[in-house]
Amino acid sequence: TLKPAYVGGKNFLTLEREHFGKRDTTKSMRMFFTAVFLASFLKSWVNRVRQKRQPILIIYASVTGNAAAYASKLGSVLRACSQVTFFDCCGTNSADDLQIMTLVKSSTLCIFITSTQGNGELPSLSRKFFSTLFGKKGHVLLDKNCA
């Protein structure tokens, strides 16, 4: 059987060097260090984005619990990338109005989830809250992203 030349004599790298000449590794090393630099840059960028968790406010109105279930499902998904706050507007009173206005002002995104009754009307327990939010004090929503 025929055996490669390096088995009985010179090793593979010596034969390669004799035939092709010395390897030039500068380009491959430059590409390697560029990849390492990009990986460390992306890691620091991802960490910075994760530290700046944007506050999101989820306001829900639910009588039967369906909208609350949707709000909790959405909140569990959004918690991976942001700071989520929930607010149930069915049981609000005048003391909660001040609290919700400060929450709305501090959040970057307000998400409204509500169930409907009858012919698409709001739940009766949340009408006072929504009239307060979109009434005279509704100007806080003008510069907010709402969904």
Side-chain angles (χ1 to χ4, degrees):
T1 62
L2 294 174
K3 294 182 179 177
Y6 61 86
V7 171
K10 301 176 183 178
N11 69 13
F12 175 76
L13 291 176
T14 306
L15 290 172
E16 178 186 320
R17 211 176 307 120
E18 287 175 359
H19 185 71
F20 295 109
K22 189 176 178 185
R23 288 184 179 188
D24 183 18
T25 59
T26 56
K27 185 175 181 181
S28 61
M29 291 303 287
R30 189 177 328 123
M31 290 173 60
F32 172 74
F33 286 123
T34 303
V36 168
F37 171 74
L38 286 175
S40 65
F41 174 75
L42 286 176
K43 182 180 177 184
S44 66
W45 183 75
V46 166
N47 287 338
R48 258 187 276 130
V49 168
R50 284 184 178 164
Q51 289 173 355
K52 293 181 181 178
R53 296 170 60 117
Q54 300 294 323
I56 295 176
L57 176 63
I58 298 178
I59 301 172
Y60 64 94
S62 179
V63 175
T64 60
N66 291 335
Y70 289 128
S72 88
K73 287 179 186 176
L74 180 64
S76 65
V77 170
L78 292 175
R79 277 196 179 117
C81 61
S82 61
Q83 178 185 355
V84 180
T85 306
F86 294 95
F87 188 80
D88 183 11
C89 62
C90 282
T92 61
N93 54 27
S94 60
D96 290 335
D97 291 343
L98 183 60
Q99 176 192 3
I100 188 61
M101 290 305 168
T102 57
L103 285 174
V104 168
K105 287 177 184 176
S106 66
S107 66
T108 56
L109 175 66
C110 294
I111 299 175
F112 296 96
I113 299 175
T114 182
S115 58
T116 57
Q117 294 178 332
N119 293 327
E121 295 127 9
L122 287 173
S124 59
L125 296 173
S126 66
R127 287 185 186 146
K128 178 183 176 259
F129 170 76
F130 281 110
S131 66
T132 303
L133 188 64
F134 293 108
K136 295 176 184 176
K137 296 181 182 178
H139 64 280
V140 295
L141 295 174
L142 292 177
D143 60 343
K144 295 291 175 193
N145 294 321
C146 296

